Amino acid sequence: MKLESVCGYVLALIAAPILLGVINRVKAFFAGRRGPPVLQAYHDLFKLLRKSAVYSGATGYVFKAGPLVGLAAVMLALTFMPFGGIGSIFSFNGDFLLVAYLLGVMRFGTVLAALDTGSSFEGMGASREVQFAALAEPALLLGMAVIIRMTGQLALADGLQSFSFGLTAASSPIIILLLMAWFIVFLVENARIPFDDPNTHLELTMIHEVMALDHGGPDLAFILYGAALKMWLIGALLVNLLIPAHTGNPLLDLGMFGAGMLLLAAAVGIIESTKARLRLLRAPQLLIAACAFSILALVLVLR
Amino acid sequence: MNAFLAYLLLMITGGIISAFTGRRRKLSAFSGAAGLILGSLGALTVAIRPLINGRALALRPAWPLPLGSFAVEIDSLSGFFLCVIFSMTILCALYGWGYNAATGKNPGDRSAWLWLSLLAAGMALVVVARNAVLFLLAWELMSLSSFFLVAFENGREKVRRAAWTYLVATHLGTAFLLAMFVLMGAAAGSFDFAAFAAIQGKNAAFLNLLFILALIGFGTKAGFYPLHVWLPEAHPAAPSHVSALMSGVMIKTGIYAMIRFVAISGPPPAWWGWLLVLTGAVSGILGVVFALAQHDLKRLLAYHSVENIGIIALGFGLGLIGWSCGSRFIMLAGFAGSLLHVANHAIFKGLLFLSAGSVLHAVNCRNMEKMGGLLKVMPVTGAAFLAGSAAISGLPPLNGFVSEFLIYTAALLCVLHNQTGVLIPGIAVIGSLALIGGLAAACFAKACGVVFLGEPRSPEMQNAHECGLAMRLPMLILSAACLVMALAAPFLVPALCAATGNIAGIPVNPNGGAALMLKTVTFWISAASLLLIFLLLLLAILRICLFRGRSTAKTGTWDCGFAQPSPRMQYTASSFAQPITNMFRRALDIKTSGILPEEFFPGNASFSAHADDTAHRYLFAPVFRAVDRALACLRWIQEGRVQIYVLYINVILLILLLFAL
């Protein structure tokens, strides 16, 4: 465990909500508005933390435990994720499986909390969430198999850090396929367009927002914060692949990584502004395409 | 070893006393349960010894069976399976005792404890037998006693049909085993397992034939797709503690026997591993997809056994591949993962069946669509089911994740290997395990959500009640075991590796090489599990602090402006699973019927969907029809007149007489 890794982790915990602000600013720019401040998400979180809550009579402890389980799982998962040149806090062989399954824990908690309300809307969101997740999981893990095969490293931090500009350039087709596959996973896991529209409320097409419909006060704050951390977590995967620069200077590495995250957020904002949401029946096809990209990358790496 | 057999006798004696005192229900249940619990506890103390010190216990009394001998042995592999068998037997007997006291009379009541004790003893004998004849006798004892347990409520037509299906399936399997053992015996000149080692030098085609026979014969018991058709019929029909024992433990004897078979036949060719990986992937994925389409809670759990047997087969197949390519790391990780999953599945599937039994007993209905909101009236059962669901979905910090992780590790090591023949199965395992994991989580979110969460869908659900202490205690112990197994995994891995070395006949140093690596990764997982629990507690405390001094209000669920919500509008099990079952509609063969609403003021509307088992429909039903037709031409023999039958007997006697001359 290195000091700079802990700094990277703390940075993630602090900076994650900025991503939402950046996305919203980019979307506002495309819509010709000024948009909310970049730090709006923090205001929202603090406001929610200070509020009391209203609970449905149908719910029990599962509903209250859902946000806690989700936040705890993603906070633990972040400790295994390297941030650019500085490594992760913990690392062991096969740790990315733990990360993937911790995201599963988070999902399980959210889905059960949604079903606990007995609302048909939330049931619908939960149903869609588990369907998409079942398809996203193979794409994510098969992509990991590519990294392992390329680098010969079984641990997430070791694998991602053995990339250099030279290796990335030499195997750019594989990296591009992998980035495409994981970008789709990133969009679906974080409930972004084209899978889900975070701005719609009370429409039949939404997934993540509808599951949090009955939560309020600190519970909702935990959910929103957990979602931001999850975005940082999966985004870090992409940024680690995209910027394989390790200067050895922790400050510089962390700076480059942070810039990469902001760029990623901007890219999400651009996609959200220029693309429409996919018909729900088409969404599984895009996810299967992600699996296909992962498998294709595997084929290329085996060649 | 003598003590071990004496404990088995104690079990059976308890069962016999119970059968003779069947009219006095309390006494009968007491002697049956006490015999099972005491016998299992005693046998457990014997069986655990070879696991700890690695020295096998053997006995070979001068007691000839026809064609065979009473050769028994407990080595570390047998010891491992015996631990699983007896621990589950104890808990199921305890639960059964409570269940017996809580339910009304049943036609199968009087002898049920006898069959249960014979089932337990039969399973134990299967695992310790070292002679083919003894093995088959034990196998039949196990299969027949469980047949009578499946037929427990034989007053119901559906139960009789399920029992019949099970009887046919298990004997089809045994027929293949008989052929396999006869071939092996002929080649080795004896039916002792020790002598079977002689087949190792035989030609490949012969060994391959034996492997296929073993895969079909043992695979039927284990429930590999498409041989699983008896499983979703038989498990829901039996009482829940029997389902737990059959689904959690008995089907594993098929896995045990497969392992014993490869241990006898020596280093396997790579395609055996490939075939098992393929079987595992198909069983795993289709098992969970079928489970998603079920409305009956116990049927859903039964299909999940097919899924988990698939996961075990994935690990086992990778182990074989590792063995054949000479990679000890892959072999140990695959075998250890699959063995650990055997134990883990026994724990969480036992837990789930026991809690499902508690639900069925409380609400007297098996259809999930009619349940809902049971967590409030049955807090212990609900919590137990939640824990079991998280464990079976392979979620940390519970035990399912650890064994899946070991199998994943084997697959990742395969990916690093430089032979294509090793690499491709590794990738297949990663992809299918990931898909299975996602779908299993979906299925158990559905089961938990629809049965225990939300609002009760009918008034009967509010009148449900928690079960008695004898039923609750096993559930609590198993829930705790789900967590303990995950935290204790680093200490179990050396024993698992030793048992694995036993399979391959390779001595494994439990503190070095591959075993050390597996120990290290499981150590990390256990540490991460503890950390997760710690974080959760920390956040819970934070939440309590945040809410201090604030008032929280209670209201109805936000219904998006709809004026008259009713609990029947909740998302049902079918609607929850529909998007996924629709993706797999080709494999599922779903039939829908009903009246769809029409016009502006629709009248009555209804909808029902039913998923048939494709293996049943397209494989077994045609085969049985064909057999039926072929045998129809022999019907003239059955005349119905006594005189004709006397004639038959005389003719046969005459022929035998001539033959003897």
Side-chain angles (χ1 to χ4, degrees):
Chain A
M1 198 196 293
K2 289 176 295 183
L3 183 65
E4 57 253 42
S5 311
V6 180
C7 291
Y9 182 72
V10 173
L11 177 77
L13 292 187
I14 295 172
I18 290 184
L19 297 182
L20 297 172
V22 173
I23 294 175
N24 281 333
R25 273 313 264 270
V26 172
K27 283 168 78 172
F29 171 78
F30 272 81
R33 296 182 281 118
R34 265 185 59 213
V38 175
L39 300 183
Q40 181 63 42
Y42 295 94
H43 294 295
D44 292 348
L45 284 176
F46 282 117
K47 183 184 72 190
L48 285 170
L49 281 178
R50 284 199 307 271
K51 287 197 166 210
S52 64
V54 178
Y55 292 106
S56 152
T59 61
Y61 62 84
V62 174
F63 179 78
K64 289 173 186 145
L68 298 178
V69 170
L71 188 54
V74 74
M75 278 173 78
L76 181 61
L78 266 173
T79 59
F80 294 97
M81 181 61 70
F83 306 111
I86 59 173
S88 54
I89 296 185
F90 303 125
S91 155
F92 65 96
N93 285 345
D95 53 2
F96 67 89
L97 289 166
L98 183 63
V99 171
Y101 274 72
L102 282 172
L103 290 181
V105 173
M106 186 182 190
R107 193 178 307 123
F108 202 66
T110 320
V111 163
L112 284 187
L115 286 172
D116 201 19
T117 60
S119 146
S120 45
F121 287 100
E122 301 197 27
M124 188 160 56
S127 161
R128 289 166 183 171
E129 171 91 357
V130 294
Q131 183 200 8
F132 294 166
L135 291 174
E137 205 130 296
L140 182 67
L141 292 186
L142 286 172
M144 275 305 170
V146 176
I147 304 269
I148 286 174
R149 179 76 191 172
M150 278 174 84
T151 62
Q153 300 288 347
L154 284 173
L156 187 59
D158 299 345
L160 287 174
Q161 288 188 312
S162 19
F163 279 96
S164 60
F165 275 118
L167 179 60
T168 305
S171 48
S172 50
I174 300 170
I175 301 287
I176 290 171
L177 278 171
L178 213 52
L179 281 174
M180 285 184 350
W182 280 357
F183 192 60
I184 294 174
V185 172
F186 175 82
L187 291 178
V188 70
E189 284 284 345
N190 291 304
R192 312 308 303 192
I193 286 177
F195 293 96
D196 188 5
D197 190 345
N199 285 341
T200 54
H201 285 277
L202 299 190
E203 263 192 53
L204 300 186
T205 45
M206 33 188 226
I207 303 167
H208 185 261
E209 288 293 317
V210 76
M211 287 199 292
L213 211 55
D214 259 274
H215 286 282
D219 292 327
L220 186 58
F222 285 159
I223 289 183
L224 292 181
Y225 183 52
L229 287 183
K230 186 178 180 184
M231 181 179 270
W232 188 277
L233 179 82
I234 307 179
L237 260 187
L238 288 165
V239 172
N240 275 320
L241 258 191
L242 206 60
I243 310 178
H246 313 295
T247 56
N249 179 350
L251 220 55
L252 200 62
D253 279 349
L254 208 55
M256 271 204 295
F257 177 79
M261 290 302 287
L262 293 182
L263 274 179
L264 180 69
V268 173
I270 294 171
I271 287 187
E272 297 227 326
S273 313
T274 54
K275 291 274 171 263
R277 194 180 48 223
L278 216 55
R279 273 173 60 204
L280 268 171
L281 291 173
R282 298 270 169 222
Q285 296 175 356
L286 192 56
L287 282 167
I288 289 169
C291 291
F293 289 147
S294 281
I295 292 171
L296 206 58
L298 258 175
V299 172
L300 285 181
V301 88
L302 298 183
R303 188 180 45 126
Chain B
M1 198 68 218
N2 280 319
F4 181 79
L5 295 175
Y7 285 126
L8 291 191
L9 269 181
L10 173 65
M11 257 188 232
I12 298 173
T13 315
I16 291 173
I17 295 174
S18 160
F20 276 106
T21 54
R23 271 166 207 278
R24 299 159 69 186
R25 291 185 67 206
K26 272 193 177 157
L27 179 65
S28 161
F30 177 75
S31 70
L36 268 170
I37 293 173
L38 291 179
S40 301
L41 270 176
L44 196 59
T45 56
V46 181
I48 209 163
R49 262 179 262 159
L51 260 185
I52 295 170
N53 60 19
R55 276 197 301 275
L57 299 167
L59 182 69
R60 217 194 144 94
W63 181 25
L65 301 167
L67 296 172
S69 63
F70 195 88
V72 288
E73 186 191 0
I74 308 179
D75 56 6
S76 52
L77 183 63
S78 300
F80 175 78
F81 276 87
L82 286 174
C83 285
V84 175
I85 291 171
F86 289 128
S87 335
M88 288 308 293
T89 306
I90 294 170
L91 295 174
C92 291
L94 185 59
Y95 182 94
W97 190 36
Y99 184 83
N100 203 308
T103 49
K105 274 194 175 174
N106 256 313
D109 251 6
R110 215 171 281 170
S111 51
W113 286 101
L114 176 61
W115 298 126
L116 196 60
S117 63
L118 285 178
L119 171 62
M123 289 192 294
L125 266 185
V126 162
V127 173
V128 298
R130 289 295 181 275
N131 178 282
V133 177
L134 180 64
F135 181 90
L136 281 176
L137 284 176
W139 191 261
E140 278 304 287
L141 180 66
M142 176 179 88
S143 306
L144 286 178
S145 51
S146 50
F147 160 74
F148 285 109
L149 287 168
V150 170
F152 181 70
E153 294 174 36
N154 55 31
R156 285 171 35 211
E157 201 260 329
K158 235 180 151 178
V159 170
R160 287 200 299 274
R161 207 176 54 220
W164 180 246
T165 313
Y166 174 52
L167 194 67
V168 172
T170 183
H171 281 114
L172 273 181
T174 311
F176 282 92
L177 295 185
L178 209 59
M180 182 193 81
F181 280 128
V182 166
L183 284 176
M184 283 167 97
S190 157
F191 283 110
D192 267 359
F193 282 7
F196 281 166
I199 65 167
Q200 286 193 16
K202 300 281 179 203
N203 65 2
F206 178 68
L207 283 178
N208 288 342
L209 174 68
L210 289 183
F211 174 71
I212 294 293
L213 288 174
L215 187 65
I216 297 175
F218 296 133
T220 309
K221 183 61 70 186
F224 289 148
Y225 187 91
L227 305 167
H228 70 282
V229 285
W230 63 271
L231 218 145
E233 303 293 329
H235 290 180
S240 293
H241 56 291
V242 177
S243 317
L245 208 56
M246 283 178 75
S247 190
V249 185
M250 191 189 78
I251 60 172
K252 310 296 171 37
T253 56
I255 297 293
Y256 161 78
M258 280 303 291
I259 298 178
R260 190 58 76 191
F261 172 81
V262 295
I264 288 172
S265 61
W271 74 266
W272 291 12
W274 279 67
L275 187 59
L276 269 168
V277 166
L278 182 72
T279 317
V282 173
S283 306
I285 296 171
L286 287 183
V288 63
V289 170
F290 278 123
L292 268 162
Q294 302 308 317
H295 318 295
D296 179 335
L297 186 56
K298 281 181 82 177
R299 230 177 131 83
L300 179 145
L301 293 178
Y303 270 118
H304 270 285
S305 292
V306 179
E307 174 225 321
N308 278 283
I309 280 290
I311 295 179
I312 293 169
L314 287 177
F316 187 41
L318 286 183
L320 287 183
I321 289 171
W323 188 2
S324 75
C325 78
S327 162
R328 194 176 286 192
F329 276 74
I330 300 176
M331 184 187 88
L332 278 186
F335 281 151
S338 104
L339 277 185
L340 190 58
H341 204 73
V342 164
N344 285 342
H345 179 239
I347 292 173
F348 49 65
K349 185 50 69 64
L351 173 60
L352 287 166
F353 262 121
L354 294 188
S355 30
S358 162
V359 168
L360 301 190
H361 164 239
V363 305
N364 199 20
C365 141
R366 302 150 77 102
N367 191 349
M368 293 161 65
E369 315 280 31
K370 294 203 172 79
M371 301 178 188
L374 283 175
L375 187 62
K376 287 205 191 70
V377 277
M378 307 177 75
V380 176
T381 306
F385 196 90
L386 272 173
S389 303
I392 200 173
S393 309
L395 296 178
L398 299 177
N399 58 353
F401 178 65
V402 184
S403 41
E404 283 189 30
F405 185 91
L406 289 179
I407 297 172
Y408 268 123
T409 306
L412 294 175
L413 293 168
C414 284
V415 169
L416 283 178
H417 204 269
N418 45 16
Q419 280 175 32
T420 327
V422 178
L423 219 150
I424 291 173
I427 294 167
V429 168
I430 295 175
S432 43
L433 260 185
L435 186 61
I436 292 169
L439 291 175
C443 191
F444 275 97
K446 162 186 131 169
C448 271
V450 171
V451 176
F452 290 101
L453 305 178
E455 304 224 36
R457 287 183 172 79
S458 60
E460 292 97 66
M461 297 304 136
Q462 278 156 322
N463 303 329
H465 53 89
E466 186 59 91
C467 54
L469 183 66
M471 287 163 83
R472 266 186 322 220
L473 197 61
M475 289 194 268
L476 289 173
I477 294 174
L478 285 172
S479 310
C482 282
L483 185 62
V484 170
M485 281 292 276
L487 300 181
F491 309 103
L492 297 175
V493 162
L496 288 176
C497 288
T500 310
N502 203 346
I503 302 170
I506 304 168
V508 173
N509 174 8
N511 295 315
L516 185 65
M517 181 209 141
L518 293 181
K519 208 171 150 179
T520 316
V521 291
T522 43
F523 174 77
W524 271 105
I525 295 174
S526 303
S529 303
L530 276 178
L531 204 56
L532 182 63
I533 296 167
F534 176 71
L535 270 174
L536 197 56
L537 286 178
L538 219 59
L539 287 174
I541 293 171
L542 174 68
R543 184 176 179 281
I544 291 170
C545 292
L546 282 172
F547 272 106
R548 187 180 292 154
R550 288 182 206 166
S551 59
T552 52
K554 242 185 173 29
T555 177
T557 297
W558 167 237
D559 45 23
C560 305
F562 186 70
Q564 279 199 310
S566 88
R568 284 198 57 213
M569 288 176 189
Q570 287 174 91
Y571 235 47
T572 59
S574 315
S575 43
F576 188 83
Q578 191 268 343
I580 301 179
T581 49
N582 192 40
M583 283 196 307
F584 289 95
R585 58 188 173 275
R586 292 270 157 75
L588 274 172
D589 200 19
I590 295 179
K591 280 192 205 54
T592 55
S593 61
I595 315 158
L596 296 180
E598 277 169 15
E599 301 181 4
F600 294 119
F601 298 99
N604 282 334
S606 70
F607 178 80
S608 77
H610 175 73
D612 251 347
D613 197 316
T614 35
H616 193 278
R617 206 180 140 102
Y618 294 110
L619 183 68
F620 283 91
V623 168
F624 279 101
R625 266 201 302 277
V627 171
D628 206 29
R629 229 174 291 132
L631 294 183
C633 56
L634 290 176
R635 285 227 174 101
W636 57 268
I637 298 174
Q638 189 190 9
E639 258 296 334
R641 266 188 234 159
V642 180
Q643 291 92 327
I644 301 275
Y645 293 141
V646 173
L647 179 68
Y648 289 160
I649 295 172
N650 283 329
V651 170
I652 297 285
L653 283 177
L654 197 65
I655 292 170
L656 285 177
L657 198 63
L658 288 175
F659 193 70
L661 287 174

